[in-house]
Amino acid sequence: MSPGAACLCVLCGLPAAGKSRLARELRGRAQTRGWRTLLVTYDELIPARDWQESEWKQQRKTVLMCLERFLHQTLSGQTHTLSGQTQTHTLFDQTLTLSEADGVWMRFEQMRQHQSVSHTHSQPLMVLLDDNFYYQSMRYQIQQLARKYGVGFCQVFLQCPLHVCLQRNRCRSQPVPDDVLLQMCERMEPPNEIRNPWEQQSLTLDSTDRIADGHIQKLVDMLASALENPLSPVQDESQQKEADRRVCASSVLHQADQTCRRLVSQALTSAREGQASPVVLKALAKALNELKTAFLQELKKDVLHRVSVFPEEPVDMKKLLVDVSVAFQRRSHEIVSKHM
């Protein structure tokens, strides 16, 4: 393994699933192997407050920019003097001016210095990213960063029942509100290496109880493999842009599917409470599921077209899901009226 090897490892899962505890365990094991580790805890970089969605997205983007600057300085072996006007051109086609994001950058630097991680690279470096990462698109940004800098990438998903996470969370000194945790559970997109080839270096661990040593060893082996097998930078930008569009569309469609499933369930529950006969309920369920399939196929074409025509324009997920809900409810009400 090259002394300058590096790896980005995503730790994802619901709040209180056990990511921070696992990170501490991994840091100890990495030390015995002679690896440096940097634990990037998003909760410490982005202060807890009632963010507007646009503000929250910008905060996350700033963390990515800080991570990229760290990689650039570390892998190039150059430590630059930072001032209020220091700028870095990033993977995300943004220019980070320190004066615009000095709070996040200062916290990032304090985190790095507290963990005694220097910019020299005499030992392999493992960067652990501790966050919920519930959308695959969030994890894909990290994978693209790893690919740009030619470092390893892997991810671990901590699978833990919702009721266990809720119970653990309530015992925290600063618990996440229950409704926020429930929303994350609904939105969670676990790694899927069949649908997303870039997620092949993934491991799912059951964290309901203490994670067994054997499972942690599997994770350490995966980290070693990622360090020894870094990603190759993209050569064909057109292929990469097409892949980016499909990842975006896949994330949107997953959320739309969850919304439609919930609305179908609500319609059937209302019909059942309205004393609909078993025959009517069966026919209604069949008709609503056929509507959902056709509706999502139409939506897929629309989303793929939108991200192809306007590739630089971010998809407003919140507005889109509201529009999906309104449109699907209108069409499902028509079907319910015919059967009731």
Side-chain angles (χ1 to χ4, degrees):
M1 185 185 299
S2 167
C7 168
L8 303 183
C9 177
V10 167
L11 304 179
C12 58
L14 292 175
K19 298 183 295 297
S20 298
R21 181 174 55 185
L22 176 61
R24 290 193 295 270
E25 176 72 23
L26 286 175
R27 292 189 68 194
R29 301 223 178 184
Q31 186 175 9
T32 62
R33 287 185 170 232
W35 299 346
R36 293 178 299 148
T37 60
L38 174 63
L39 173 58
V40 179
T41 306
Y42 275 56
D43 285 349
E44 294 180 12
L45 296 176
I46 304 177
R49 52 171 277 197
D50 188 18
W51 295 104
Q52 294 293 325
E53 186 171 359
S54 60
E55 294 177 321
W56 177 76
K57 287 181 178 179
Q58 184 57 48
Q59 289 287 311
R60 293 187 64 86
K61 186 177 292 185
T62 302
V63 173
L64 283 171
M65 292 176 182
C66 292
L67 179 59
E68 179 163 6
R69 178 181 287 176
F70 167 76
L71 286 175
H72 176 75
Q73 294 175 351
T74 301
L75 298 177
S76 66
Q78 299 175 355
T79 303
H80 305 289
T81 301
L82 296 172
S83 67
Q85 297 304 314
T86 300
Q87 296 181 333
T88 298
H89 293 280
T90 72
L91 173 67
F92 312 102
D93 196 27
Q94 298 283 337
T95 300
L96 174 62
T97 302
L98 190 61
S99 60
E100 297 172 356
D102 55 350
V104 175
W105 175 250
M106 287 177 62
R107 287 189 289 273
F108 187 95
E109 277 294 281
Q110 289 169 356
M111 183 180 291
R112 180 187 67 79
Q113 292 170 11
H114 179 71
Q115 297 177 46
S116 302
V117 179
S118 68
H119 289 293
T120 58
H121 48 91
S122 58
Q123 298 172 300
L125 171 66
M126 179 177 68
V127 180
L128 300 173
L129 300 160
D130 179 359
D131 187 46
N132 305 301
F133 288 107
Y134 49 86
Y135 287 146
Q136 59 157 331
S137 55
M138 296 173 174
R139 305 191 297 271
Y140 184 67
Q141 290 178 324
I142 304 298
Q143 192 266 359
Q144 287 301 287
L145 194 57
R147 193 163 192 177
K148 176 183 178 181
Y149 285 92
V151 302
F153 171 79
C154 62
Q155 53 188 13
V156 57
F157 173 60
L158 292 189
Q159 196 169 49
C160 187
L162 175 60
H163 72 276
V164 174
C165 290
L166 285 168
Q167 184 177 16
R168 290 177 182 171
N169 177 62
R170 290 166 186 155
C171 296
R172 287 174 156 183
S173 58
Q174 293 182 315
V176 175
D178 282 3
D179 60 333
V180 173
L181 204 153
L182 289 168
Q183 288 176 10
M184 286 190 189
C185 185
E186 290 180 357
R187 297 175 181 177
M188 181 62 70
E189 299 175 3
N192 187 329
E193 61 185 51
I194 296 176
R195 187 177 64 187
N196 307 315
W198 58 271
E199 293 194 294
Q200 289 181 356
Q201 281 281 71
S202 302
L203 184 64
T204 297
L205 299 178
D206 185 344
S207 60
T208 306
D209 299 309
R210 186 178 182 278
I211 300 174
D213 287 345
H215 291 159
I216 294 179
Q217 186 57 48
K218 283 185 179 180
L219 176 53
V220 173
D221 291 342
M222 183 175 71
L223 286 163
S225 175
L227 283 167
E228 293 172 354
N229 299 281
L231 302 182
S232 300
V234 178
Q235 301 298 325
D236 187 341
E237 291 189 4
S238 63
Q239 290 183 357
Q240 187 57 54
K241 287 181 178 179
E242 177 61 24
D244 292 347
R245 287 194 289 267
R246 292 193 174 276
V247 167
C248 174
S250 178
S251 182
V252 169
L253 291 169
H254 173 81
Q255 297 305 309
D257 179 66
Q258 295 296 311
T259 298
C260 292
R261 286 176 184 271
R262 184 175 66 253
L263 293 173
V264 167
S265 177
Q266 291 173 356
L268 291 173
T269 298
S270 296
R272 193 176 295 109
E273 292 174 350
Q275 306 301 314
S277 68
V279 173
V280 170
L281 284 173
K282 183 177 180 180
L284 181 59
K286 182 175 182 295
L288 288 174
N289 281 308
E290 288 176 349
L291 169 64
K292 179 174 71 70
T293 299
F295 183 85
L296 291 174
Q297 287 176 346
E298 293 174 13
L299 181 63
K300 181 178 181 180
K301 292 179 182 178
D302 178 65
V303 171
L304 284 173
H305 173 73
R306 188 182 308 182
V307 296
S308 296
V309 176
F310 306 105
E312 304 302 326
E313 183 177 320
V315 176
D316 188 336
M317 183 77 76
K318 189 173 182 180
K319 181 179 183 302
L320 179 63
L321 292 180
V322 170
D323 293 342
V324 165
S325 179
V326 171
F328 188 80
Q329 277 186 312
R330 183 177 64 251
R331 292 168 67 171
S332 63
H333 285 163
E334 294 172 0
I335 290 178
V336 171
S337 297
K338 292 178 182 178
H339 285 78
M340 297 296 288

